[in-house]
Structures are given as structure tokens and as C-alpha cells.
Amino acid sequence: MQLRHLPLAASLVLILSYSGIAYAANPVPRTCSSAHASVFEQNSTPSGGTGGTGHEPTIPPGGIGGTGHEPTIPPGGIGGTELKASIENSGIGGTGHEPTTPPGGIGGTGIMAAGTLVNVNGVVTVEDYSKQKIQLASGDEICLGDRIASSGDAKAKILFADGAILYLLKNTEISLTEYYYSAKEPKLNRSLVTLSKGDIRSVSGKISKLNPQKYSFQTPASTIRVIGTDFLVTHLQQQEGALEAGTYTKVISGEVSVQSSTSTIKLRAGESSHVMLNGTQSIISGGGGTCTAP
């Protein structure tokens, strides 16, 4: 990773000022419905049962629309995932992740569009839940379960459905682990982005205000919970120069809670912390390692 050889502030200025050059890709923008075709659009009855997920080669176990995780239809209900013990808490054909039918819908997979890639410069790729890997371009949808990676000279901006903005710098890898937004169902709103390596900047949206307990970021060393804020995160997989490995967090505005295996620290505007790979956490000076405000 070469990003640490220049200040993160300079990189972020580039992100905030570029107009966005779409890298050559498919002429038709990627959508989550096309990226994750309905099970009913697959070859006849898919493995996993009618409307199932394909986890099993035959309809049973799991039942019609089930996942094949259970030898009988309950728990999970018709089309459920066995995460709940009744149809009411799983949804008909839903994913079992929510107490109501959406997201997932009747016969749905629960895979939904979380946002849109509004600017991309350089090579940014995505690997979806089925391990299919493609190159992204401006206008492509970002879907639940996506694993997104930027190359050594790339940067990108994602606009989420709730208005949140996420900037990716070069040599960065994130996964959209959880996402659901509905103004009518604030208690169901949630967002979890996993940062495996590299640098991101996040400007939070409505989920952080409507359901802050379910709005967070994870790295291999820490969990960062957000309260209406603008902040930066860097995760180093190994020591680079004078910088130790681990997760660096700096708050520009608002407040975050950084939790590691050993402690939890609240950071306010202008404060930074470092979490070592062993979980040891401390408040630091100097702009949060590579995390320097633009």
C-alpha cells in the first residue's frame, strides 16, 4: 500500500474536487436486480427449491422457497432462512433478517440496492455474493453483499440511499455487510461497512440519526459506531514506516465510539485514536496517523 507516502488530506482533497471520470465498462449501468437475478429467472427450478437460494441441490430440506438450512419448513417459515421460529418473524420468501416481509419480499432474496457509485476514477471492482467479479463505472448500483476494491491509482464516491457518502481512496477494500433504509421503518434501518484495508472517509446520512445503534463500521481491529458525523478511517495490515499496524480513526465533526477487544473510546471533533491489531487502543495526536482532515 503506497498511500501512506503522502498525507491523507491531500488525497481527500483530490476526492472532494474531482469531477469523476467513468472508467470504460458495460454500456448498461449495473443494477442489483441484474447483478442478482431472481431465482425464478434461473434455469427452471433452481437448486434449493422453488424460489430458494440454491444452497441445496433439491427442494427439501428447507421447503418451498427455503434455504435448505433446515430439514423441515419451520423454523423460518415458507421461504424463511431458519433465523426465526415462525413465518411472522421471517417473512414469506424473505431472508429472515427482518421481522416484517421487506426487505426480501415475497419470494425475494433480500438483496437490494444500497446506493450508487456516483464518481469513479481508475479501476474499481466489485465481487458480489455469488463471487462474480466485474469492473464498476459511474452510475452502477452498489448492492448488499458487495465487496469493493480500488486499485493503486483509483478513487471513488458512493452515495447511499439514506444520503450517506463514502469515499474510497486507492488500495482500499470494503464490504457492504449490512444495509437497509426506509423512512417509514426507522427501527429496521441499519448499515455496516467492513474495511479490510486502506482508507475511507464517511459522511453519515439519515440512518445514523434514525437508528444510530445500527450504523457502524468494522475493521479487523475495531468497531466504529457513529453519531451524525464526518470522520476518516485507515486500516494498516502491517507496519508501514513509522506507522504501526492497526486502525486509525479521526473525527472531523460529530462523535464516534471506537470499540476494540480491550476497550471503548469516544472521539469528538478533532480527536483521533489508534487500535493495535491486538486490541490495545489509545488516543493519539498528530491527526490520527494518516487520518488528517482536508
Side-chain angles (χ1 to χ4, degrees), residues 13 22 31-32 35-36 42 53-54 59 94 97 104 119 130 139 143 162 200 213 254 257 259:
V13 168
T31 65
C32 295
H36 311 281
Q42 301 176 19
T53 64
I59 294 179
H97 292 172
N119 276 322
S130 66
C143 312
D162 70 317
I200 60 172
Q213 299 87 351
S257 171
Q259 180 181 354

Side-chain angles (χ1 to χ4, degrees), residues 36-203:
H36 311 281
S38 166
V39 288
F40 293 107
E41 296 173 359
Q42 301 176 19
N43 295 330
S44 65
T45 302
S47 55
T50 305
T53 64
H55 290 177
E56 296 294 333
T58 58
I59 294 179
I64 298 174
T67 64
H69 289 173
E70 295 296 326
T72 57
I73 293 180
I78 300 174
T81 65
E82 101 281 344
L83 296 185
K84 297 293 182 180
S86 64
I87 296 176
E88 290 79 9
N89 288 330
S90 193
I92 299 174
T95 64
H97 292 172
E98 295 299 329
T100 57
T101 300
I106 298 175
T109 63
I111 297 166
M112 56 188 298
T116 304
L117 194 67
V118 294
N119 276 322
V120 59
N121 191 354
V123 177
V124 177
T125 60
V126 61
E127 181 180 280
D128 64 19
Y129 82 106
S130 66
K131 306 301 181 182
Q132 180 183 4
K133 190 173 183 179
I134 63 170
Q135 183 175 318
L136 292 172
S138 293
D140 285 345
E141 287 188 346
I142 303 301
C143 312
L144 180 63
D146 280 352
R147 183 175 183 178
I148 303 168
S150 58
S151 65
D153 60 350
K155 51 185 178 285
K157 174 183 176 182
I158 300 171
L159 176 63
F160 286 92
D162 70 317
I165 298 173
L166 186 68
Y167 298 96
L168 274 69
L169 297 184
K170 63 183 182 179
N171 287 327
T172 295
E173 197 172 283
I174 67 166
S175 298
L176 188 56
T177 308
E178 294 182 7
Y179 191 86
Y180 178 66
Y181 171 68
S182 171
K184 297 180 179 179
E185 299 177 295
K187 292 183 179 180
L188 301 182
N189 291 341
R190 66 189 185 277
S191 177
L192 173 59
V193 175
T194 301
L195 172 66
S196 301
K197 68 174 184 176
D199 301 286
I200 60 172
R201 175 178 180 178
S202 171
V203 180

